[in-house]
Amino acid sequence: MSKILYASEVTTDIHRLDSAWEDPETFAFIPDKTGEVHGMIEAALAELPPPYRTGHFALLTSGSTGRPKLVFGSRDRSSSLARVLHAHQQSEEVNETVVVLPLTYCYSFVNQFLWARQHDRPLVLTKGLTRPDELKSALTAAKDSMICLVGAQVPLLSEYYDGSVFPGVIRVHFAGGRFPSERLEDLRRLFPNALIFNNYGCAEAMPRLTLRPADAAEETSHVGWPLPGIEIDSSPEGELLFRSPYGAVGQADDNGFRVIGPADWVATGDLGRQLDDGHVELLARSSEVFKRHGEKISIPVVLSSVSLAWRGPVSTYREVDGSGEDGYVLVISPHPGDGDVRKILLTLRNKHARSHWPLRIESIDELPFLPNGKIDVQELGEQVDLKQHWRQRI
Amino acid sequence: MNNHQKLKDLLLDVFLIGESEYSLEISQEDIETWDSMGLVAMAVGIEETFGHHLTQEEALSIRKFQDIVDILSTKGMSFDD
């Protein structure tokens, strides 16, 4: 039976993760609290086909469907990816990496833990933005350091560290969601010496598919060029597909283990396409595009407009309106001042037809976050302290 | 809050117009968001705010905001303040 390594074991002793990596036996590295999926994880590991019992590792992901699953990576493949990332993210001059996201998150695991191992660089563990003071100390002490962030953290960084400068951070990576291009100036103020990269991928890609320097494009939909060896295609429905020599070799959920073969095209869960110059254009998560009153609604496109009028964190949750039409609720944070919601509404009116407007605008003191720094959309609609500011009356 | 203010708040919300754009003389042609769904939203809002269910004939006769005031005034609501 393969073993399970929990995040808290590693937080207190990073050598536990090193040991697990060096031990041939396949292991799963997962958050401490996995709730009802823990049984699935144990069963998947217990029933792992023999070829996967050594030389592999598994991470837990919510996946594009929101149904948690284990993705299985090959240690050889992921080590290769860490080397490729080193070259393409211009990391030779990086001397250490400060960990802001949980290492159980594939992005952080490969881009930081494996990268640090491969290139013999120190890994500086922090508790991220759950301990802003400690993180500030780590960033202040950083010397030629690399950090990995998700876009939703930027408003918090701006708020917590307003006026601070971290010149020792020379690489800032983004992945795991829309690149916060509207916050680029804030990032440059915080990290004046950093090259900033937008990385794109998914857990099934383990995790990287494309990357681009932030300056390479203004549009957030431009997620860069595929890394060497990665093939990109689109399904007839517009879903972005990939084949990668670094990608997951299998996945397991309640339905058991499924091999991902080298010839298999894998869906990223996003809608997108590769353009003539090779760069990938991302249109939206499959789950973030839906039809309302016959019109195709893209939540990321609407959020991009909202960001012109509201600089704080925003998110949405899906809801069906009284007439059975799909819709969504816009949630802003923190609670707005006089005129803020009106400004958002006027921006929505100027840029989008009524079908694209949210069913309601609500606010919350703080958005609920998952351990990986992403907004917990599943929990968002359940929050008791949501305050309503506006609603459509249809 | 008087009826004028209630109506103004409702119409700003339904059509997403700015305070400075608002006037009772503003007409359907002036407001891009006064589409079929906007009309439905306005009718629902009038019922919620003033307790009057617009008949189809009333709803379709509204060409400018002043027409709403005229309809509601005939139902005994005062907009004199």
Side-chain angles (χ1 to χ4, degrees):
Chain A
M1 172 155 170
S2 303
K3 62 190 169 196
I4 296 177
L5 186 62
Y6 294 97
S8 61
E9 298 177 67
V10 171
T11 308
T12 51
D13 183 5
I14 188 65
H15 299 300
R16 302 285 294 269
L17 189 53
D18 283 314
S19 301
W21 189 260
E22 285 157 14
D23 185 340
E25 189 182 5
T26 293
F27 67 98
F29 180 37
I30 59 173
D32 290 3
K33 293 177 184 172
T34 53
E36 56 194 33
V37 298
H38 198 266
M40 178 276 286
I41 295 168
E42 286 189 322
L45 292 172
E47 294 158 17
L48 210 51
Y52 300 92
R53 290 180 190 163
T54 58
H56 294 81
F57 67 103
L59 301 172
L60 190 67
T61 175
S62 57
S64 55
T65 60
R67 253 178 60 199
K69 63 184 175 187
L70 281 178
V71 285
F72 287 80
S74 144
R75 293 187 209 178
D76 289 343
R77 283 176 159 228
S78 294
S79 298
S80 297
L81 177 58
R83 286 192 290 274
V84 169
L85 290 175
H86 181 76
H88 285 261
Q89 294 175 341
Q90 302 172 44
S91 301
E92 187 51 37
E93 60 184 299
V94 178
N95 284 326
E96 62 173 22
T97 184
V98 176
V99 178
V100 182
L101 296 162
L103 283 174
T104 50
Y105 189 23
C106 192
Y107 164 37
S108 193
F109 186 85
V110 174
N111 225 119
Q112 297 192 278
F113 170 69
L114 284 187
W115 171 83
R117 270 187 68 85
Q118 287 281 324
H119 298 93
D120 198 23
R121 308 293 212 275
L123 188 72
V124 181
L125 292 177
T126 78
K127 294 189 172 71
L129 285 168
T130 56
R131 296 280 179 83
D133 290 351
E134 290 178 19
L135 178 59
K136 186 177 181 182
S137 300
L139 294 175
T140 302
K143 287 194 175 69
D144 297 332
S145 189
M146 175 244 285
I147 59 172
C148 292
L149 301 172
V150 294
Q153 292 176 313
V154 181
L156 298 175
L157 285 172
S158 300
E159 186 183 323
Y160 291 150
Y161 306 142
D162 185 29
S164 299
V165 177
F166 305 109
V169 177
I170 60 169
R171 296 289 179 277
V172 178
H173 291 287
F174 282 91
R178 196 178 71 83
F179 179 68
S181 54
E182 70 280 3
R183 292 279 189 167
L184 206 48
E185 288 313 309
D186 290 351
L187 287 166
R188 289 191 176 120
R189 267 194 296 277
L190 286 166
F191 308 108
N193 298 325
L195 286 181
I196 302 169
F197 284 89
N198 179 24
N199 299 263
Y200 169 70
C202 58
E204 293 85 344
M206 280 328 250
R208 194 59 53 237
L209 293 171
T210 69
L211 64 86
R212 73 163 167 94
D215 293 331
E218 285 186 3
E219 309 83 35
T220 55
S221 58
H222 181 318
V223 293
W225 292 265
L227 292 168
I230 290 175
E231 298 170 88
I232 299 287
D233 202 355
S234 301
S235 73
E237 294 76 34
E239 257 198 314
L240 200 61
L241 310 172
F242 73 90
R243 281 198 297 218
S244 167
Y246 322 111
V249 295
Q251 61 183 43
D253 57 19
D254 291 333
N255 298 319
F257 182 83
R258 186 172 73 79
V259 172
I260 301 174
D264 293 341
W265 286 97
V266 181
T268 61
D270 293 317
L271 301 177
R273 58 186 175 162
Q274 189 169 25
L275 299 184
D276 288 344
D277 71 348
H279 89 258
V280 174
E281 183 187 48
L282 203 61
L283 301 171
R285 297 288 295 172
S286 307
S287 59
E288 290 176 332
V289 174
F290 60 95
K291 288 241 177 142
R292 176 167 171 77
H293 298 127
E295 273 198 60
K296 190 182 266 189
I297 313 298
S298 166
I299 290 176
V301 171
V302 177
L303 290 186
S304 184
S305 304
V306 171
S307 71
L308 300 172
W310 177 257
R311 289 177 57 76
V314 295
S315 190
T316 60
Y317 62 92
R318 297 284 295 280
E319 200 170 276
V320 173
D321 72 13
S323 57
E325 286 279 343
D326 272 337
Y328 71 96
V329 178
L330 175 70
V331 183
I332 60 176
S333 170
H335 296 297
D338 287 347
D340 288 336
V341 172
R342 182 62 47 189
K343 208 170 147 195
I344 295 170
L345 289 169
L346 291 179
T347 304
L348 287 171
R349 181 198 73 173
N350 290 336
K351 294 201 164 281
H352 302 283
R354 187 180 291 269
S355 302
H356 299 250
W357 302 351
L359 300 178
R360 295 190 299 282
I361 295 180
E362 298 176 340
S363 69
I364 190 167
D365 205 24
E366 267 185 60
L367 291 169
F369 283 93
L370 292 164
N372 63 14
K374 293 182 179 178
I375 294 163
D376 189 344
V377 178
Q378 304 258 12
E379 283 292 311
L380 188 55
E382 310 295 322
Q383 302 294 303
V384 291
D385 51 345
L386 286 169
K387 185 178 170 194
Q388 181 181 298
H389 299 276
W390 175 85
R391 67 191 167 92
Q392 288 215 45
R393 290 177 163 84
I394 48 176
Chain B
M1 189 186 292
N2 65 36
N3 284 336
H4 263 308
Q5 190 60 45
K6 283 183 192 171
L7 181 64
K8 180 180 174 183
D9 288 352
L10 169 66
L11 297 172
L12 294 188
D13 260 14
V14 166
F15 296 112
L16 304 193
I17 50 179
E19 289 253 3
S20 59
E21 297 169 275
Y22 179 81
S23 133
L24 282 178
E25 290 310 310
I26 201 166
S27 72
Q28 189 169 11
E29 287 72 34
D30 301 322
I31 303 177
E32 200 185 345
T33 50
W34 192 330
D35 52 13
S36 56
M37 283 164 63
L39 184 61
V40 173
M42 179 173 69
V44 171
I46 287 171
E47 184 161 6
E48 286 175 355
T49 309
F50 298 102
H52 173 64
H53 179 80
L54 290 175
T55 64
Q56 191 178 24
E57 195 177 316
E58 285 172 334
L60 294 176
S61 73
I62 298 171
R63 291 283 179 267
K64 54 185 182 179
F65 292 163
Q66 180 63 48
D67 296 336
I68 304 169
V69 173
D70 294 343
I71 291 168
L72 294 178
S73 296
T74 66
K75 308 300 170 192
M77 279 166 254
S78 170
F79 286 83
D80 292 336
D81 37 25

